[in-house]
Amino acid sequence: MRGPFTVQLTPSFLRDLEALPRKEQKRIVAALERLESEPFGPPPHVKKLKGEGVGEWRLRVGVYRVRYDVVRHDVVLYRVRHRKEIYRG
């Protein structure tokens, strides 16, 4: 079932995703389906960020984080990286 939001993938997100192991790619893609219906929750998997950088929101998938913004009815995915790397400039 598709939600009221459309997920948009940026080139940087696709590059990050392709660099990950195939097993992790599948987990992340499965988690992204939730963003079509619930881009603002539930915590702790989804959280509004306070710091700087691209994307005001983050989705936690294991040790990986997806940074994104919600623009009207679009969820724009910017980056997906390991939790140790995602918040670095």
Side-chain angles (χ1 to χ4, degrees):
M1 181 176 142
R2 298 189 64 95
F5 293 90
T6 304
V7 174
Q8 304 290 327
L9 309 176
T10 62
S12 59
F13 177 84
L14 289 172
R15 277 192 306 272
D16 289 349
L17 186 65
E18 290 172 0
L20 298 178
R22 181 76 70 207
K23 181 180 175 184
E24 298 303 326
Q25 289 178 14
K26 289 180 181 181
R27 287 183 66 202
I28 290 166
V29 169
L32 295 178
E33 292 178 9
R34 287 185 296 211
L35 294 180
E36 292 179 339
S37 59
E38 291 186 275
F40 303 112
H45 299 287
V46 173
K47 181 179 178 183
K48 183 156 174 66
L49 300 173
K50 297 176 185 174
E52 293 183 19
V54 66
E56 290 186 24
W57 294 86
R58 75 100 165 112
L59 171 67
R60 185 181 79 194
V61 183
V63 296
Y64 293 95
R65 304 295 185 262
V66 176
R67 291 194 67 167
Y68 66 94
D69 280 331
V70 179
V71 182
R72 294 192 178 104
H73 294 286
D74 292 331
V75 178
V76 183
L77 306 177
Y78 295 113
R79 304 306 302 245
V80 56
R81 291 193 168 177
H82 190 277
R83 65 184 182 89
K84 292 182 179 180
E85 300 171 356
I86 192 76
Y87 303 108
R88 295 183 184 160

